[in-house]
Amino acid sequence: MALNTQSGNGTKRLRAILEQNRQGQLVGVYSICSANRFVLEAGMLQARRDESILLIESTSNQVNQFGGYTGQTPADFVKYIHQPAQERGLPTDRILLGGDHLGPHVWRHESADEAMRKACTLVADYVRAGFTKIHLDASMRCADDEGDPDTPLPDEVISARAAQLCAVAEQAYSELPADSPPPLYVIGTEVPAPGGGQTESRAPAVTQTDDLARTLRLSREAFHAGGLESAWERVIAVVVQPGVEFGDTAVFPYDAAKARTLSHYVVEHWCGVYEAHSTDYQTKAALKSMVHDHFAILKVGPWVTFAFREAVFALAEIEEEWLSRRQGVQVSGVREALERAMLENPVHWKGYYRGNEAALQFARKYSYSDRVRYYWPQPHVAEALQRLIANLAANPAPTSLLSQCLPRQCDAVRNGTIANQPADLIRHKILEVIDQYADACGMRARPQD
C-alpha cells in the first residue's frame, strides 16, 4: 500500500523550496534517515506543528527487496510510515519518501552484472512503492570491476550505471497511475559508504568545482544517451562534500570560507542544489550557514538515534533510582541487554570501532557514529525497552529525579507541554535535534519547548 501522494503536493513543495533556496532565500529541507519508530514519530510531530513537508529516507542496506537489516521491503516501509502518520494526524501527502544510496552497494561483493541486476530491481521496487526522491548511487566497485580495488570507479562507469538505474526507475514510474508524481533524482556520492565512515583525524576535503563540473557533464551525457532527457530535468540535487564529517568522538564543523567557491558554482553553472550528507552534530549556526550556501537538503541520521539512545539511557538511570528497590517491579536492564546483543553479534560495529576493550566498550555506547542503532530491533533488546517504558508509564518518576537526568524534558513536563510519560520524554529529546534542522531550513513555526 503506497502513501497517498497522488496529488504530488509534497514533491511540488519540495521543488518550490529548492528553487527559493537558489534565489537566495534561507530555506531548505532536512531529511530524516532512520527507521526508528520514535524518531519517525518525532519527525511527524515536528512537521505537523510546523505545517511543513517531512522527508524520510531509507538506505539500500536498510530496506530492499530482500528485507535489508530492518526486514522490510520498500512496500513494507511505506506501510510502516503510514500508520504513525495517521495516528499523529499528519496528512500523508505532506510526507515524501526517499531512497538513499540506491545502487549495487549491498551486492558489491558480487559481479557487476549480478549486482546491477539486483540494484535495478531495488530501484523499481522503491518507485512502485511510492518513493519519489531517488538517490542514484553506482559509485561502489563490484567484485569483477577492473582496476585497483582501493581506487574509485571511473566517472564514466558510475554515470553509465546511474543512467541504467534511472531508466529502470522511469519504466517503473510509467506503470503507476497517471496522476502519480514523477520521481525526483539525486546524483553524486561524495560521502562514506552507507552506514557511516571511519573518519577521526581530519576533516574531509571540500568537493572541487572541476570535479563537480565533470560529474554533471558525464551524468547529463549518460542520461541523454539513454533517452532520459525528461528525467534529467528532474535531477534536483547533487551530493557533494561540504567538508563536514564526524567520527567516534570528533565532529568536523562546516567552514563556509572553504566552501565559498562551491557555493557560488551551484547558482552560476547549474539548475539544482546540493545535498549534504553527514551533517549530524553540526551547530545550529553551521546548519544555517550550509542552507545559506545552497546545501539545501540536509541529511540527518545518527544524531537523531544518538538522541534516542541518550533518552533511553537517562530513563534507565531514572528507573534504577526510582524502581530498583520497589517490591514487585522487575527493572528492564535495557543497557545490559543492548551490550549483550552487540557482543553476541558484532557485525554492525566491529569493523568501525578501534582500540582496546575499554575503548570498544565506550564506543559501543557513546560513539557519534551510533552503531548501537542497529541493535534496538533485536528481540531481547526490544523487550527490555518495552519493559522500561511500561515500568515508568505505570510509575512516573518525580520531577526532582526527572530534573537530574532529563532537565529540558522536566521543564516541558512542568509547563504542561508534554506528559510525564516515557514515550513522550523520548520523543521530546529527539525533537531537540530535529528542531535545529527545522530552524536552519526556515521551517520552524515556534521554538521547541
Side-chain angles (χ1 to χ4, degrees), residues 118-259:
K118 291 177 179 176
C120 287
T121 300
L122 171 75
V123 169
D125 284 357
Y126 265 76
V127 173
R128 292 191 188 105
F131 289 72
T132 53
K133 179 179 174 289
I134 306 297
H135 175 204
L136 303 169
D137 182 5
S139 62
M140 294 294 176
R141 283 186 172 275
C142 298
D144 60 349
D145 280 324
E146 296 180 357
D148 185 346
D150 295 324
T151 61
L153 272 175
D155 289 339
E156 291 82 356
V157 175
I158 295 173
S159 299
R161 289 179 180 175
Q164 180 183 348
L165 294 172
C166 182
V168 171
E170 290 291 287
Q171 175 58 41
Y173 166 64
S174 72
E175 301 166 8
L176 296 177
D179 57 350
S180 301
L184 305 177
Y185 296 106
V186 176
I187 59 173
T189 183
E190 292 283 338
V191 293
Q198 300 176 8
T199 300
E200 196 69 41
S201 60
R202 64 181 184 275
V206 175
T207 298
Q208 298 297 303
T209 54
D210 287 348
D211 294 334
L212 174 59
R214 176 178 170 81
T215 294
L216 291 173
R217 176 176 59 82
L218 291 174
S219 297
R220 182 177 62 251
E221 291 174 356
F223 273 58
H224 283 219
L228 299 168
E229 292 87 351
S230 173
W232 179 254
E233 296 300 317
R234 286 180 269 115
V235 176
I236 57 172
V238 57
V239 177
V240 294
Q241 176 51 261
V244 301
E245 188 53 88
F246 56 90
D248 287 344
T249 59
V251 178
F252 300 102
Y254 179 64
D255 186 335
K258 291 181 179 179

Side-chain angles (χ1 to χ4, degrees), residues 242-288:
V244 301
E245 188 53 88
F246 56 90
D248 287 344
T249 59
V251 178
F252 300 102
Y254 179 64
D255 186 335
K258 291 181 179 179
R260 185 169 294 119
T261 301
L262 191 60
S263 174
H264 292 326
Y265 182 93
V266 72
V267 291
E268 295 172 356
H269 300 286
W270 194 46
C271 59
V273 297
Y274 295 136
E275 176 169 290
H277 294 217
S278 300
T279 68
D280 305 74
Y281 312 108
Q282 295 294 311
T283 65
K284 185 183 295 187
L287 293 173
K288 285 188 175 182

Side-chain angles (χ1 to χ4, degrees), residues 316-390:
E317 183 177 349
I318 290 170
E319 179 193 40
E320 179 68 23
E321 290 284 352
W322 180 234
L323 300 176
S324 63
R325 290 168 292 279
R326 184 169 300 193
Q327 189 173 5
V329 176
Q330 178 186 358
V331 295
S332 64
V334 66
R335 293 181 58 155
E336 294 77 12
L338 201 56
E339 173 74 353
R340 185 166 67 253
M342 296 183 80
L343 291 175
E344 290 174 352
N345 180 25
V347 65
H348 296 299
W349 63 266
K350 199 161 191 178
Y352 296 83
Y353 297 155
R354 297 185 176 88
N356 59 27
E357 183 50 42
L360 291 175
Q361 185 180 45
F362 183 87
R364 286 194 293 270
K365 290 183 286 190
Y366 301 116
S367 168
Y368 278 136
S369 65
D370 194 52
R371 307 298 299 181
V372 70
R373 68 186 184 273
Y374 294 95
Y375 294 89
W376 294 109
Q378 296 296 314
H380 65 272
V381 178
E383 180 182 350
L385 176 60
Q386 288 305 310
R387 183 178 296 117
L388 170 68
I389 292 172

Side-chain angles (χ1 to χ4, degrees), residues 290-304:
M290 293 178 73
V291 171
H292 173 271
D293 292 342
H294 305 297
F295 299 94
I297 303 175
L298 302 177
K299 305 292 281 294
V300 57
W303 193 4
V304 283

